[in-house]
Amino acid sequence: MQDAERTTENTTSGGHGGNPGRSPEQRQDHGIARIREAAAGVWADPWWTLPNLLSVLRLAGVPLFLWLLLGPKADLLALLVLVVSGITDWLDGKLARWLNQYSRLGELLDPAADRLYIVATLVAFVLRDVVPWWVAAALVLRDVVLTLCLPVLRWHGYEPPEVHYLGKAATFCLMYAFPLLLLVQEEFPLSEVVRPIAYAFTCWGGALYLWAGVLYLGQVVAAVHQARRRPARA
């Protein structure tokens, strides 16, 4: 839990937070300025980089992936799209470090692609009765709530919380669970062996995903509470 605690510290410390002496009107103006600053930062960074191109390709694969699952139900082709997505996910981070091509847009595209693949897979799995609807609803609701928290943090002058190890572990488990769940939809010699492994990864990943969301939400609440406790000058 040390990484999570450090992340909470970073979020609530307000490294980019507002001056504690601001009046409510000044804080409101500062919040709007911070949101505009974040948007301007995305536009100011270079867009046409190789890591960003890979992230865009990953995003373009989401509708193809969903169509393969729901249209022709070509599970093996959908699995191939998911594998290619995982490879590009690993590769764009490596290339950003090797080529020194970091950008704010890339930082937004990468987790967005992960979330969209998770949502697309859950929607398809519910429609095909692979997982119960309430499981998918809980995981999607978690992402919706945390997405709505981002402008709240910006408004109060804080950066989004860093991804801690529980969030990474949850995404890792789910990204293994989904291909395995696809595999066991087809009968093959080892399907009875793979099935419990697929369900285990799904349960572990889902539980960690929700718990990581609770921790992120706690960081947001702590940051907002700290911002509101700052004294205002007349």
Side-chain angles (χ1 to χ4, degrees):
M1 297 295 293
Q2 291 179 354
D3 290 345
E5 290 167 1
R6 282 198 297 269
T7 303
T8 306
E9 249 179 49
N10 291 339
T11 305
T12 58
S13 63
H16 298 279
N19 188 327
R22 288 191 175 95
S23 66
E25 293 78 11
Q26 289 174 323
R27 289 176 187 172
Q28 181 176 351
D29 292 342
H30 179 70
I32 296 173
R34 287 294 296 159
I35 294 174
R36 289 175 176 170
E37 179 186 341
V42 174
W43 287 98
D45 280 344
W47 283 42
W48 297 109
T49 65
L50 189 54
N52 286 355
L53 177 60
L54 290 177
S55 294
V56 170
L57 289 176
R58 286 180 66 214
L59 286 169
V62 173
L64 173 62
F65 175 71
L66 192 57
W67 176 76
L68 289 171
L69 287 177
L70 297 178
K73 295 184 179 179
D75 293 345
L76 291 180
L77 288 177
L79 178 60
L80 179 61
V81 173
L82 200 58
V83 170
V84 171
S85 168
I87 293 172
T88 56
D89 185 23
W90 170 83
L91 189 58
D92 64 11
K94 291 291 184 183
L95 288 174
R97 286 189 290 272
W98 291 341
L99 302 176
N100 194 26
Q101 291 185 342
Y102 292 101
S103 68
R104 181 58 182 157
L105 178 64
E107 292 176 356
L108 296 174
L109 287 177
D110 193 47
D114 288 340
R115 298 296 176 267
L116 284 176
Y117 270 103
I118 290 175
V119 171
T121 305
L122 290 171
V123 169
F125 280 2
V126 169
L127 293 176
R128 291 181 52 178
D129 295 321
V130 177
V131 298
W133 69 267
W134 55 268
V135 172
L139 298 181
V140 172
L141 181 61
R142 178 259 197 202
D143 279 343
V144 171
V145 170
L146 293 184
T147 300
L148 294 176
C149 286
L150 294 180
V152 175
L153 283 173
R154 289 289 186 187
W155 180 272
H156 289 283
Y158 292 106
E159 298 294 331
E162 296 177 4
V163 177
H164 54 69
Y165 72 95
L166 280 181
K168 292 179 180 179
T171 303
F172 173 85
C173 287
L174 289 177
M175 288 305 182
Y176 268 87
F178 293 156
L180 292 175
L181 286 173
L182 279 177
L183 279 177
V184 299
Q185 300 311 302
E186 305 288 340
E187 291 298 328
F188 66 100
L190 294 177
S191 60
E192 293 305 315
V193 176
V194 174
R195 185 170 285 108
I197 298 174
Y199 291 149
F201 268 111
T202 303
C203 292
W204 296 335
L208 287 175
Y209 201 68
L210 293 176
W211 181 240
V214 171
L215 293 180
Y216 287 133
L217 188 59
Q219 294 172 33
V220 173
V221 171
V224 173
H225 183 65
Q226 180 174 321
R228 288 180 175 176
R229 289 181 61 186
R230 294 186 186 122
R233 290 177 184 169

